[in-house]
Amino acid sequence: MAYINRILINTIKNRKKFLKWVFRILFIFILVEGAGYLTGLNDFWKVDVFPQYNPNKIRLLKSENSILKKKIESLKPKGIYIIIDTANNILYLKENQKTLLQATISAGSGNILSDPFGKREWIFETPRGVFSVLMKFENPTWIKPDWAFIEEGKPIPTNPLERIEEGVLGGYAIGFGNGYFIHGTLYKRLLGKNVTHGCIRLGDNELKMVYNSTPIGAKIFIF
Amino acid sequence: MYPLKIIILISLYLLSSSAFPLSETKSIIRENIFLKSEYSLALGSKNYVVFDLREKRVLIKAKGIILREFKINSFKLWGYPILPEPLTLIKKGSIIKPKRKKIIPLKIDEKGTGEFEYIELEKMPSRYKLKLDGSIWVYIIPESDNLLTKTLNLYSIMKSLLFTKPIGSLWYNIFGKKFTQIDIYMDKNEAKSIFWSFLEGYRCIIYNYD
């Protein structure tokens, strides 16, 4: 009986000790939370973040705003341009606000290839940003780069003629820099999927329309 | 003549002060900062993102044109007010990160399986945080459509209320920095698209209401 009593007393004592610690931690937690909320709210109601101007300066700012709007407007492309949505694999051919064509494409896969014999590495991603049409080719020939041989497990040829491959890029190719092109494809069933090495693949009819409509210098927006 | 001068001066003062009430003054200044920021970004050749909280939308833009627009269902602001100045995306954080597949080159005379693995929109996370410079954190939270997302959203709210907001404010204030947190609730697929399009190193502007 005495033994059980001792255990009970010890448990109560331990529980008291435990509860004491719980309350201490809770108190510190509430203190920290309170301090956090106070500083956060103090920041939230700050009104002095704006620069101070007198009414005359405000008038100047108003006219400056309309000038800035015009300046931004002037940066927008004039005439034909292309927008490429790599997330949804869609190409838009546009003229000012009007959409002339909406086509399904294939954009870069985002996969990585390492050269087993060297230190080179390729990320097969379509570049994003603002580009321009730099060159246009009819019946283009693909000059296979090193990665194409590595991927296929073939030795890299020393003779440049062995790199030439006809008929794989479709009827047309539109170059927008760094070896990236908008071109045709033999794998039409893969249109709508991110499977390319960075170029943009397009169906035959859509490619023809884009090729014929887009002049050299036209802007290409890729996101 | 003297009283007339005073009347003219007083009326001129009243006219000049009433021409731009405080709220309009603020919005003109805010618009001016925003337009200057946007112009500086539009001059470059990179895409940029505008979190337009006034119009409840996120815009992917380049050279001033809207490439894609996403709808914000609701948002919550906490911490230091943000001016619409260019900010850089330092880091994107999510529990499950999309991983790039490493291509294993074929061996000589080996034929491919014809199967393709690739990074696609579907594999992008819809719940993630964006760390912007200036100690600004943007949390993208998908609208709850099933029990799992409802539970995760509840967890996000609790975490935000008990941890990130108060502790973040206190932590950054101790080190003399400004802390801002924005929780943005939007459609799951649109959240995925923003994760895809908004790359680390890209710049953005947060355009807030007055």
Side-chain angles (χ1 to χ4, degrees):
Chain A
M1 197 63 187
Y3 177 71
I4 293 168
N5 270 348
R6 210 181 301 144
I7 289 174
L8 271 171
I9 288 160
N10 274 344
T11 323
I12 291 162
K13 267 186 185 172
N14 283 342
R15 194 176 284 175
K16 265 187 180 174
K17 222 177 185 181
F18 172 73
L19 281 171
K20 238 181 197 176
W21 272 108
V22 167
F23 280 120
R24 271 178 198 163
I25 290 165
L26 211 67
F27 179 72
I28 293 166
F29 178 72
I30 291 166
L31 211 70
V32 171
E33 288 278 300
Y37 270 102
L38 269 176
T39 44
L41 281 171
N42 186 39
D43 281 348
F44 189 75
W45 295 112
K46 278 223 164 63
V47 284
D48 57 347
V49 289
F50 286 98
Q52 298 298 314
Y53 293 109
N54 62 39
N56 287 335
K57 185 83 199 266
I58 295 293
R59 272 198 195 92
L60 278 176
L61 281 185
K62 229 179 169 184
S63 57
E64 195 187 6
N65 285 358
S66 53
I67 293 166
L68 280 165
K69 277 178 193 165
K70 276 176 197 160
K71 274 185 172 178
I72 293 169
E73 199 62 35
S74 72
L75 293 173
K76 290 181 181 175
K78 276 113 204 137
I80 300 267
Y81 63 96
I82 295 167
I83 295 179
I84 294 167
D85 176 353
T86 59
N88 295 296
N89 287 301
I90 299 171
L91 177 144
Y92 302 92
L93 181 68
K94 292 209 152 207
E95 187 169 22
N96 301 319
Q97 296 296 313
K98 205 174 146 194
T99 305
L100 304 175
L101 173 79
Q102 183 179 326
T104 307
I105 57 150
S106 281
S109 67
N111 292 339
I112 301 170
L113 177 70
S114 300
D115 183 356
F117 307 108
K119 284 177 184 172
R120 291 181 299 175
E121 191 177 74
W122 294 270
I123 299 174
F124 296 133
E125 203 164 49
T126 301
R128 324 260 185 102
V130 186
F131 304 88
S132 298
V133 174
L134 299 177
M135 52 191 106
K136 289 168 77 175
F137 300 106
E138 273 185 45
N139 298 315
T141 303
W142 188 31
I143 298 158
K144 284 173 82 171
D146 289 356
W147 54 255
F149 294 96
I150 293 167
E151 194 178 10
E152 289 169 7
K154 290 176 183 166
I156 296 164
T158 45
N159 182 2
L161 292 173
E162 286 175 43
R163 289 179 180 264
I164 292 169
E165 205 165 310
E166 301 274 356
V168 289
L169 299 180
Y172 309 93
I174 301 164
F176 55 93
N178 291 328
Y180 293 102
F181 287 88
I182 299 171
H183 59 71
T185 179
L186 298 173
Y187 309 102
K188 294 191 178 60
R189 68 185 170 89
L190 295 175
L191 287 172
K193 291 183 172 133
N194 295 79
V195 292
T196 79
H197 297 91
C199 285
I200 303 293
R201 292 180 192 166
L202 202 54
D204 294 340
N205 296 333
E206 290 89 348
L207 180 65
K208 193 177 180 184
M209 186 176 170
V210 172
Y211 182 86
N212 288 331
S213 318
T214 324
I216 297 278
K219 288 270 178 267
I220 301 173
F221 297 91
I222 307 175
F223 71 99
Chain B
M1 269 314 274
Y2 189 68
L4 188 70
K5 258 186 186 175
I6 291 172
I7 290 165
I8 291 167
L9 276 171
I10 289 171
S11 53
L12 268 175
Y13 171 76
L14 285 173
L15 268 173
S16 65
S17 56
S18 64
F20 299 107
L22 186 67
S23 60
E24 204 193 334
T25 308
K26 260 187 168 186
S27 82
I28 292 167
I29 299 169
R30 196 180 280 274
E31 191 184 17
N32 185 262
I33 300 167
F34 170 71
L35 289 169
K36 274 181 187 164
S37 306
E38 168 146 32
Y39 183 60
S40 72
L41 296 183
L43 281 172
S45 60
K46 270 190 174 179
N47 303 337
Y48 56 91
V49 176
V50 177
F51 291 92
D52 189 350
L53 302 181
R54 296 160 8 128
E55 304 275 332
K56 282 192 173 180
R57 57 191 189 157
V58 181
L59 307 168
I60 310 282
K61 294 184 92 174
K63 295 274 173 208
I65 63 163
I66 299 168
L67 302 176
R68 183 94 196 267
E69 185 176 329
F70 306 99
K71 195 178 155 252
I72 293 173
N73 292 344
S74 61
F75 67 89
K76 286 180 192 122
L77 278 169
W78 174 259
Y80 205 83
I82 312 162
L83 287 176
E85 286 169 339
L87 301 161
T88 309
L89 173 63
I90 295 168
K91 207 179 170 188
K92 287 194 282 192
S94 65
I95 301 165
I96 305 156
K97 280 185 181 168
K99 276 189 181 167
R100 294 182 188 279
K101 193 211 155 202
K102 277 213 166 197
I103 299 169
I104 300 156
L106 296 174
K107 285 171 190 142
I108 293 168
D109 295 333
E110 189 186 8
K111 279 187 178 174
T113 55
E115 284 174 18
F116 293 93
E117 256 191 67
Y118 43 85
I119 282 190
E120 58 182 336
L121 188 61
E122 209 40 53
K123 291 173 187 167
M124 297 295 124
S126 57
R127 182 185 304 276
Y128 52 90
K129 58 185 173 189
L130 308 168
K131 186 180 190 264
L132 308 174
D133 56 356
S135 326
I136 297 164
W137 295 81
V138 180
Y139 286 80
I140 305 286
I141 303 156
E143 281 295 349
S144 40
D145 54 356
N146 57 39
L147 191 66
L148 181 72
T149 47
K150 271 179 190 163
T151 316
L152 287 170
N153 282 4
L154 190 70
Y155 166 73
S156 293
I157 292 166
M158 293 307 286
K159 196 177 94 177
S160 176
L161 283 173
L162 292 173
F163 187 71
T164 54
K165 281 178 182 172
I167 308 290
S169 293
L170 198 62
W171 181 261
Y172 281 99
N173 263 281
I174 287 168
F175 292 101
K177 288 179 181 172
K178 297 155 189 169
F179 172 77
T180 311
Q181 182 179 321
I182 309 168
D183 298 334
I184 293 177
Y185 291 83
M186 62 197 313
D187 176 73
K188 194 171 105 181
N189 293 324
E190 300 212 328
K192 285 180 178 188
S193 290
I194 292 173
F195 191 91
W196 178 288
S197 306
F198 195 16
L199 305 177
E200 282 170 12
Y202 268 35
R203 307 206 81 194
C204 72
I205 308 168
I206 298 170
Y207 196 16
N208 190 9
Y209 55 84
D210 301 313

